[in-house]
Amino acid sequence: KSLNRIFLTEIELLIFIGIMLAVLGENFLYSSIPFSDSVVHFLNGMLLTILIVSLSYKRWLDGRFSPLRTILLAGLLPAIVNEVYEFSADQLFGLHLWGDWLKPLWTDTISDVLIQTSGSIIAIMILKKFFHIWLKRWKKAPPDGDTS
């Protein structure tokens, strides 16, 4: 049974929220609101984890995509890649993307990776509790006349 439009809508919403948080962070929040960088990293760790599990839900359900593997893939790895991107952009283009102005660069980098990974861990706990409910809703037959 294929997934319905609710699934597609929710996936698009997750992607949109994640991108908007990053854009708002780099262009406004990080330089204006203390610790907003940490909040964005935490939320994006959660969103990315939920997105990855949702897109590969069969592997999640049959155990090929374990919680630890998910945390490494959706939390730790993207956080490290993002920190390399921020450092490179700062060094090459002077963009000053490294987040909270109240923390020195090395503290910000370490805390961003830990916080994003923590967001991923929290998302795993949420998924373990609620994913089966979401999956049932995504697989429901569309109302009569709907072709989704």
Side-chain angles (χ1 to χ4, degrees):
K1 193 176 196 183
S2 65
L3 302 179
N4 60 27
R5 286 188 185 168
I6 295 170
F7 171 77
L8 295 175
T9 302
E10 290 176 358
I11 293 302
E12 290 172 355
L13 187 61
L14 284 175
I15 294 168
F16 176 75
I17 291 170
I19 291 170
M20 288 310 301
L21 283 171
V23 169
L24 282 173
E26 289 180 4
N27 292 295
F28 169 71
L29 296 175
Y30 298 166
S31 61
S32 304
I33 302 171
F35 304 109
S36 59
D37 180 49
S38 297
V39 171
V40 169
H41 276 281
F42 182 80
L43 291 174
N44 275 339
M46 289 181 70
L47 292 170
L48 190 55
T49 300
I50 292 169
L51 176 69
I52 287 173
V53 169
S54 298
L55 292 174
S56 59
Y57 71 95
K58 290 179 182 175
R59 289 179 183 217
W60 171 263
L61 294 174
D62 71 13
R64 288 183 288 161
F65 209 41
S66 69
L68 179 59
R69 184 177 288 171
T70 305
I71 291 166
L72 294 174
L73 180 65
L76 184 63
L77 182 61
I80 290 171
V81 169
N82 182 66
E83 292 306 308
V84 169
Y85 156 72
E86 285 181 0
F87 179 78
S88 300
D90 290 350
Q91 296 301 310
L92 296 173
F93 307 111
L95 294 178
H96 192 68
L97 297 178
W98 54 270
D100 292 321
W101 42 271
L102 295 176
K103 294 189 270 184
L105 176 59
W106 68 272
T107 306
D108 180 67
T109 299
I110 293 169
S111 69
D112 286 351
V113 170
L114 292 175
I115 288 168
Q116 187 160 333
T117 304
S118 298
S120 184
I121 292 168
I122 298 297
I124 291 294
M125 289 190 264
I126 292 168
L127 287 164
K128 284 182 169 240
K129 184 161 181 83
F130 295 107
F131 190 71
H132 67 283
I133 296 169
W134 296 339
L135 193 58
K136 283 180 192 174
R137 194 178 75 240
W138 293 339
K139 288 187 172 190
K140 274 186 186 173
D144 290 338
D146 192 353
T147 60
S148 54

